[in-house]
Amino acid sequence: MGVSESQVRAAYAECQRLASRHYENFPTASYLVPRDRRDALAAVYAFARYADDVADEPGVENRLEKLADWRAKLAASYEGRFDHPVFLALHDAAERYSLSRENFEKLLDAFESDVRVSRHKNFASLLAYCTCSANPVGRLTLELFGYHDSHLFELSDNICTALQLTNFWQDVAIDFSRDRIYMPQDDMERHQYTLDDLRAARCDQRWQELMTFQIARTRELFERGRTLPEEVHRKLRTQLRLTWLGGMEILARIEAADCDIFHRRPSLSKWDFLRLYWRARRAPLAPSVAPAPTVTIPS
């Protein structure tokens, strides 16, 4: 399908608008990416934005059907056919930077899972979900910079899974209000923390021990991916360091609040980002010294 340069630019502009409107961290993320790759990043965010809204926003009907249609549009765009600005931009970005269709397919798998699944029986189930919901974003970012190396993908997967888990621990109360529980059910049972306890927002010793256990697991994953920034081009290095530092900072704040995420959601201010950005520019990431339980990543 022949398209003009002006049509491509208009499609990217629409992606920028959609991404900036939906993701509060998109302006920061795009600023850290070199200008010549920001449009492609916007296309990735915009693709995920629509699917995320379909899976998550209240009042949406026929969610799975809408996601199936989005998947069909994705397949068509990789064949050079598109009837939507997001997929025109995505087609252009995929051709320019060899973006793998598999990663977009996995993101859609995760959004479909959000519609079907509201509980995870164990940590392995949660990690399998992260393989689709989080890891593809990191791999697509690496592909934007020309990296298609399995070793770098593995490091990235660890960081992205850790970031997703951090978001789950940070948003336990918000997710529960939507009838979603990402805390593994068997871990809750092991710590004798019940659904009624969660409903009552009980932040007692059982909850603190449960959260401390999950935070330790998450830190181990961050540690497994810590060297990634030092193995990529300097244009990407600061962004990856900042991402890692931000996730670790949120974990520290959850602990500092005695794991009481029910009454105050741990978050980072603009000043926090500036402070961490300065650290990210100055030096490689320091290893974590805290011991952590062994984490098994499903294949």
Side-chain angles (χ1 to χ4, degrees):
M1 180 183 296
V3 293
S4 67
E5 181 64 22
S6 63
Q7 288 176 303
V8 174
R9 298 309 309 163
Y12 276 125
E14 176 64 7
C15 289
Q16 288 279 356
R17 187 186 69 81
L18 292 173
S20 297
R21 185 186 70 185
H22 188 74
Y23 292 101
E24 62 182 13
N25 64 339
F26 176 74
T28 300
S30 63
Y31 175 77
L32 293 174
V33 171
R35 187 178 299 277
D36 62 345
R37 291 172 175 84
R38 291 178 195 174
D39 282 343
L41 181 65
V44 173
Y45 270 70
F47 168 84
R49 182 213 68 82
Y50 173 85
D52 194 6
D53 279 353
V54 168
D56 242 5
E57 291 300 310
V60 178
E61 297 181 352
N62 303 317
R63 296 178 190 269
L64 291 176
E65 290 84 349
K66 286 182 169 66
L67 289 172
D69 178 66
W70 206 240
R71 189 185 294 274
K73 290 181 184 298
L74 172 68
S77 72
Y78 269 84
E79 296 169 1
R81 297 179 286 108
F82 26 78
D83 60 1
H84 191 288
V86 167
F87 289 99
L88 169 53
L90 203 62
H91 170 79
D92 184 75
E95 287 208 327
R96 286 176 186 266
Y97 300 106
S98 300
L99 303 183
S100 302
R101 174 178 165 182
E102 177 188 10
N103 289 317
F104 294 106
E105 295 277 5
K106 284 188 174 181
L107 286 173
L108 289 174
D109 290 343
F111 292 127
E112 289 173 354
S113 176
D114 284 336
V115 177
R116 296 189 176 104
V117 179
S118 61
R119 307 286 191 271
H120 290 272
K121 62 181 180 179
N122 52 40
F123 195 57
S125 171
L126 192 60
L127 291 179
Y129 172 77
C130 293
T131 297
C132 294
S133 70
N135 298 359
V137 177
R139 292 188 176 212
L140 286 166
T141 301
L142 287 173
E143 288 181 346
L144 275 177
F145 286 82
Y147 295 108
H148 296 81
D149 179 86
S150 60
H151 168 65
L152 296 182
F153 283 163
E154 181 179 353
L155 294 176
S156 175
D157 289 349
N158 285 314
I159 293 177
C160 289
T161 292
L163 286 169
Q164 179 76 88
L165 294 175
T166 299
N167 183 248
F168 289 153
W169 315 145
Q170 180 185 30
D171 285 342
V172 167
I174 294 173
D175 290 330
F176 187 64
S177 71
R178 300 172 177 170
D179 192 35
R180 286 187 183 164
I181 302 175
Y182 291 102
M183 184 67 69
Q185 300 295 285
D186 63 345
D187 290 334
M188 290 179 65
E189 292 173 6
R190 193 173 301 114
H191 287 82
Q192 300 180 0
Y193 194 86
T194 67
L195 188 62
D196 287 338
D197 291 323
L198 189 58
R199 186 175 294 108
R202 292 192 177 98
C203 186
D204 54 16
Q205 183 177 351
R206 295 170 302 160
W207 175 255
Q208 291 168 347
E209 290 177 353
L210 174 59
M211 282 290 282
T212 297
F213 177 67
Q214 304 300 353
I215 288 171
R217 279 175 158 176
T218 307
R219 277 207 180 98
E220 181 184 355
L221 287 165
F222 272 123
E223 180 61 27
R224 289 185 182 187
R226 178 179 54 83
T227 61
L228 177 62
E230 313 318 313
E231 299 187 38
V232 299
H233 193 279
R234 61 179 179 80
K235 290 183 179 180
L236 184 57
R237 187 169 302 148
T238 298
Q239 178 190 358
L240 294 181
R241 286 178 181 172
L242 178 60
T243 299
W244 193 94
L245 289 168
M248 291 287 277
E249 181 73 11
I250 290 292
L251 293 179
R253 293 195 177 195
I254 294 174
E255 289 180 319
D258 294 325
C259 300
D260 186 1
I261 45 74
F262 299 109
H263 300 99
R264 184 176 180 180
R265 178 182 183 270
S267 60
L268 302 179
S269 68
K270 290 182 180 180
W271 289 111
D272 292 324
F273 275 111
L274 287 173
R275 174 175 55 83
L276 295 175
Y277 176 67
W278 178 245
R279 284 180 58 188
R281 291 196 60 178
R282 291 179 63 190
L285 300 170
S288 172
V289 296
T294 299
V295 175
T296 301
I297 306 295
S299 58

